[in-house]
Amino acid sequence: MKSILVTLALSLTASAFAQNLSLPDYKNYELTDIAAKGLKKEILFSKMNRDLMKVMASICSNRALVWAYDFKRFYNVDAGKIFLFYTKKSGDVGQKTWWYHVAPIVNEKGVIHVMDAGFPGDIRGPLAPKDWLKRFTSSTNCKEIKASETDLVERMFDGYTFPETTSYGKYDCYYKYTPAGYWTPSAVAKGLLGVDEEGKPIQYSREEFDTDEVFYACVEAATGPVGRALGGGKKRCEKYLNL
């Protein structure tokens, strides 16, 4: 009985000091404080599955969705994402042809950390957002996009790099924090604008995961074109995701 009471007391103490974070424009979604669960960002990073992923030959949004889903199902951690939108500037990681990049984020004691395990030769652990942005754009002069800045949000549909100079000033890159379930830039835009690519009204939210999207993201991230055609990726992902 004493042991049970001590465990309960420790649990309540951890919960009382949890520093969950709400994201701008997503007030009903909170990033779990992993420290309140006895977790550390470095340990979570080391356990991100890179054996399943073709990390150098898969799309970042697919890897990020599966990894964020893993944080939820294995650790009950509500993670998030950081979407980076390029101008003409690029950094020492990634490719100059990219118009966006995305990675999961976690909250530890009220501080956000980027968990980008897709570049094992360049990124070996969690990064502060400003350091992550600098690695990919060679700059920290980046603007966080707000839902009210609809002209910037609409650019997420286009698939092109953002302009350096807009009515908001001159920036080298742009970014947006989102809940973990948002898969692609167009999904983010639909959620913030409430319209689809053609401007038609739509009810769209990914504050919960769509498991069909997670499955298809897994198939792409785990296999090349030949493997997908042969169905190998589906079998691997059905087993991995228990779907």
Side-chain angles (χ1 to χ4, degrees), residues 71-128:
F71 289 147
K72 180 63 175 179
R73 70 189 182 114
F74 292 143
Y75 308 104
N76 197 27
V77 166
D78 288 316
K81 302 267 187 68
I82 180 171
F83 282 83
L84 159 64
F85 299 97
Y86 286 87
T87 62
K88 293 180 180 179
K89 292 188 70 68
S90 59
D92 60 356
V93 181
Q95 298 180 17
K96 293 182 180 180
T97 57
W98 290 354
W99 73 277
Y100 85 96
H101 181 49
V102 58
I105 57 173
V106 297
N107 161 32
E108 184 180 65
K109 298 179 181 179
V111 178
I112 289 175
H113 302 274
V114 185
M115 309 287 277
D116 197 344
F119 303 86
D122 297 293
I123 298 176
R124 296 182 173 86
L127 292 175

Side-chain angles (χ1 to χ4, degrees), residues 162-190:
F162 280 38
E164 291 182 359
T165 302
T166 68
S167 61
Y168 308 102
K170 186 174 183 179
Y171 296 95
D172 296 322
C173 55
Y174 300 78
Y175 68 96
K176 182 64 182 171
Y177 293 124
T178 75
Y182 283 88
W183 187 6
T184 62
S186 62
V188 178
K190 286 189 284 189

